[in-house]
Amino acid sequence: MSTTLNNQLWASADILRGKMDASEYKNYLLGLIFYKYLSDVELREVYEQENGQTTEFPEREEQFKILKDWYDEDKDDLEEIMRLQRGYFIAPEQLFYHFRQKADAYEFRLVDLQSGFNDLERQGDQFSNLFADIDLNSTKLGSNDQQRNVTITEVIKALDEIDLFEHNGDVIGDAYEYLIGQFAAGAGKKAGEFYTPQAVSRIISEITSIGQENRAPFHIYDPTMGSGSLMLNIRNYVQDKDKIHYHGQELNTTTFNLARMNLILHGVDKGRMRLKNGDTLDSDWPTEEPHQFDAVVMNPPYSAKWSAAEKFLSDARFERYGKLAPKSKADFAFLLHGFYHLKDTGTMGIVLPHGVLFRGAAEGVIRKALLEMGAIDAVIGLPANIFYGTSIPTTVIILKKNRDNRDVLFIDASNDFEKQKNQNMLRDSDIEKIIRTYKSRENDEKYAHLASFEEIESNDFNLNIPRYVDTFEEEEPIDIIALGQEIVDLNQEISKTEQEFLSMLNQLAVTDDSREIIEATKRIFGE
């Protein structure tokens, strides 16, 4: 995506920046971008219905006139065709383009935008409560109706300058992803609720798709989906993108709505989207078919609390392991939930803190059981400070079912990154090295080690990466003779410089003001 478009997108945030923090104003901007996208798509759809498919569209003024004339002539016919073709219909007076016209004339009213939101939310489950987090009456937009009206008027004018269709490729979805990433960067700890950095998404997506690139339909599942970006990355590695089915669950309602918008913006129709707003651990979902998937991808909240109630010992997700993840650390509960929903032929990738690799007690029992099953395929150590909101180093664990052996590939990628102002960044070359090493499954000194089950067993099933990949760099031995000569030379140089300095000092004119300073300086040098 072009830098110019990025700048335009980010500049539109300036109007709300300062009034509220990033975790709040993202709801307004992303919601309005989404509404603009649906509105502009409708204008183009109506134009093509009248003129046939094209890649060249006239200005929206002409598109709007065509739509308005059709609407005035046969409103029901237009609505029926739009609902059939696109699954929704926005009335002419509620289109984003119309709101922009009203904004230019200073006639825009918040109540009209709210009506547009409300009417769209009534058009099927995929839109239900989608704009619930956009509070147009919030005092943060202004202390009275007039000030709030002015704020949203300026936001609409700024956003409408963006042509979401001006580039080839998935610019609409990319623009959305760019904004999500920018908000995550400014949202601190809250960012972890909705965003996985693209580099990490790419590693997990590419690995989980290996050997399944031609599978169609392809079913992917993310039980802690956040904004949905981790699931959406699979499109880059599966051949038939239109046959990918997305299954996801998210506890946070705001983030759940964000994911729904994100998938729609990336062209996912409602028939390939099955999303639920709920607690992944408390109540298993999905339980109806399909309940197992070709790929399971996860970036759950790290070391979150959960109930660990006794009833879960008879839950199909956890019962075979004999122990439950501790109440204070739900990491293994999330892992086992995802693994339960993985097909026998599938691959799972999950991001977790390093503690899951070596902590004992119940977690040690679960880890041992997984290793004895051969479920853990690879452990990849990532650099610290690559996630928004936390600087801790993380690991990607790859799991499979029905493997032929029980070895584990360890990759230590913790030292391969580019240091940026606030975060470390995985470069393309770093990601490619990880993927290449995963595929070759061979030892690479100070980077990767393929450990046999017996080796892991001898380490008491501890998977701490430094036990298997030695990254220690031995320092070169010190040449004492050369060092001694260097010290002698330095002392001679210092002595020579001191003498030159004192000589210069002696040449200075001594006055009543300078006498004490000159004498004190000489005493420092032993004269």
Side-chain angles (χ1 to χ4, degrees):
M1 200 168 72
S2 74
T3 304
T4 303
L5 182 56
N6 288 353
N7 292 340
Q8 286 178 312
L9 287 166
W10 194 233
S12 67
D14 281 335
I15 298 156
L16 295 178
R17 196 180 291 120
K19 295 178 183 291
M20 57 190 78
D21 66 36
S23 64
E24 293 177 286
Y25 69 71
K26 73 173 171 58
N27 298 333
Y28 291 92
L29 291 184
L30 292 176
L32 286 167
I33 281 275
F34 179 70
Y35 195 84
K36 170 179 164 58
Y37 166 71
L38 294 181
S39 296
D40 290 355
V41 163
E42 179 171 312
L43 288 173
R44 288 192 164 205
E45 178 65 41
V46 170
Y47 180 81
E48 288 192 321
Q49 288 293 326
E50 289 280 299
N51 298 280
Q53 285 194 336
T54 182
T55 56
E56 299 291 332
F57 291 89
E59 294 296 317
R60 283 184 303 163
E61 181 181 0
E62 183 178 336
Q63 295 177 41
F64 183 76
K65 184 179 184 305
I66 292 170
L67 185 147
K68 186 71 166 61
D69 289 346
W70 189 351
Y71 184 81
D72 292 340
E73 183 179 328
D74 195 339
K75 169 186 170 184
D76 293 339
D77 181 55
L78 176 59
E79 278 196 40
E80 183 181 352
I81 287 176
M82 268 305 299
R83 291 184 195 279
L84 182 66
Q85 294 297 322
R86 294 290 174 175
Y88 66 90
F89 175 72
I90 301 173
E93 67 275 9
Q94 293 178 339
L95 288 167
F96 198 93
Y97 173 73
H98 182 69
F99 291 148
R100 168 63 193 270
Q101 290 179 310
K102 291 292 187 182
D104 285 341
Y106 298 98
E107 296 174 355
F108 170 76
R109 300 189 309 158
L110 279 176
V111 65
D112 295 333
L113 178 60
Q114 188 63 63
S115 293
F117 288 164
N118 294 344
D119 288 350
L120 186 59
E121 286 182 328
R122 287 191 280 266
Q123 297 187 44
D125 291 342
Q126 73 269 35
F127 300 115
S128 178
N129 296 315
L130 203 54
F131 302 97
D133 297 302
I134 301 179
D135 183 3
L136 297 178
N137 295 312
S138 171
T139 55
K140 291 184 178 181
L141 296 174
S143 59
N144 55 50
D145 285 342
Q146 183 179 2
Q147 289 179 356
R148 291 191 284 274
N149 224 63
V150 169
T151 299
I152 297 299
T153 293
E154 293 306 311
V155 171
I156 285 174
K157 288 163 72 174
L159 289 178
D160 200 54
E161 291 301 312
I162 302 165
D163 182 356
L164 292 174
F165 305 102
E166 69 174 340
H167 299 287
N168 293 324
D170 186 22
V171 67
I172 299 139
D174 288 347
Y176 212 62
E177 286 292 298
Y178 170 79
L179 278 177
I180 292 172
Q182 291 299 317
F183 292 131
K189 280 190 172 182
K190 295 180 181 179
E193 296 176 8
F194 61 84
Y195 190 69
T196 302
Q198 282 293 318
V200 180
S201 293
R202 178 179 162 188
I203 291 167
I204 293 176
S205 299
E206 190 162 356
I207 288 177
T208 55
S209 68
I210 292 172
Q212 303 193 92
E213 296 88 347
N214 297 319
R215 190 179 298 279
F218 187 101
H219 291 268
I220 187 168
Y221 175 50
D222 187 343
T224 57
M225 67 180 173
S227 66
S229 60
L230 186 49
M231 276 196 297
L232 283 164
N233 252 281
I234 203 73
R235 297 170 309 129
N236 298 316
Y237 306 102
V238 173
Q239 190 169 4
D240 197 337
K241 297 174 178 57
D242 294 330
K243 291 187 178 178
I244 301 174
H245 293 253
Y246 301 86
H247 311 259
Q249 184 161 226
E250 173 56 44
L251 178 60
N252 183 293
T253 303
T254 299
T255 311
F256 170 71
N257 288 334
L258 186 60
R260 287 198 290 162
M261 291 182 193
N262 202 5
L263 265 68
I264 292 171
L265 279 170
H266 279 84
V268 181
D269 59 68
K270 64 180 181 180
R272 296 186 293 118
M273 186 192 313
R274 185 169 61 146
L275 309 178
K276 186 184 178 192
N277 185 196
D279 188 325
T280 286
L281 298 182
D282 187 57
S283 180
D284 186 22
W285 181 88
T287 53
E288 71 281 7
E289 291 295 332
H291 73 276
Q292 290 186 319
F293 307 95
D294 300 301
V296 175
V297 295
M298 296 180 74
N299 179 22
Y302 306 147
S303 299
K305 293 180 172 61
W306 77 303
S307 71
E310 193 174 333
K311 66 176 183 178
F312 288 118
L313 285 170
S314 57
D315 188 305
R317 297 172 293 171
F318 312 118
E319 61 182 356
R320 67 185 296 181
Y321 302 96
K323 293 281 186 179
L324 296 173
K327 287 183 179 181
S328 60
K329 295 179 180 66
D331 302 319
F332 267 113
F334 283 114
L335 184 149
L336 295 180
H337 170 87
F339 189 63
Y340 173 76
H341 285 284
L342 182 67
K343 279 184 182 178
D344 287 352
T345 55
T347 305
M348 172 178 167
I350 182 170
V351 188
L352 288 172
H354 278 256
V356 298
L357 301 176
F358 53 79
R359 290 192 298 246
E363 291 180 297
V365 172
I366 296 170
R367 188 170 58 247
K368 178 183 176 184
L370 287 166
L371 289 163
E372 288 176 337
M373 292 161 52
I376 298 179
D377 181 55
V379 174
I380 304 166
L382 300 177
N385 199 32
I386 60 170
F387 281 84
Y388 298 114
T390 179
S391 61
I392 65 168
T394 52
T395 181
V396 173
I397 302 176
I398 305 299
L399 299 102
K400 289 177 175 285
K401 292 182 176 177
N402 298 330
R403 294 174 64 220
D404 294 334
N405 53 53
R406 298 185 291 179
D407 58 10
V408 177
L409 176 66
F410 291 87
I411 298 175
D412 187 346
S414 60
N415 296 315
D416 294 349
F417 60 87
E418 180 181 282
K419 190 169 182 60
Q420 297 191 343
K421 186 178 179 182
N422 297 318
Q423 282 187 287
N424 296 328
M425 180 72 67
L426 282 164
R427 298 157 297 197
D428 286 346
S429 58
D430 302 324
I431 297 169
E432 288 160 8
K433 185 179 179 182
I434 290 171
I435 303 300
R436 187 168 61 250
T437 305
Y438 175 81
K439 287 180 176 178
S440 70
R441 211 168 179 81
E442 294 176 353
N443 293 333
D444 186 345
E445 189 176 1
K446 299 189 183 304
Y447 186 76
H449 176 67
L450 183 62
S452 67
F453 178 78
E454 290 72 27
E455 184 180 355
I456 294 167
E457 187 178 30
S458 70
N459 277 311
D460 199 24
F461 301 100
N462 184 320
L463 299 181
N464 200 18
I465 297 172
R467 285 182 176 242
Y468 303 93
V469 183
D470 179 11
T471 58
F472 177 74
E473 293 286 351
E474 216 173 278
E475 293 185 12
E476 289 186 17
I478 298 171
D479 186 336
I480 300 297
I481 296 173
L483 180 62
Q485 185 59 50
E486 187 179 345
I487 292 171
V488 169
D489 292 344
L490 282 172
N491 284 336
Q492 289 176 350
E493 184 69 27
I494 291 169
S495 178
K496 180 183 175 184
T497 305
E498 286 179 353
Q499 292 304 315
E500 290 174 354
F501 177 73
L502 287 168
S503 176
M504 293 168 58
L505 204 61
N506 287 329
Q507 294 175 28
L508 292 175
V510 179
T511 64
D512 290 340
D513 291 334
S514 66
R515 182 177 287 107
E516 287 187 14
I517 295 173
I518 291 172
E519 293 301 323
T521 304
K522 287 182 176 180
R523 286 196 297 273
I524 291 172
F525 288 97
E527 269 207 3

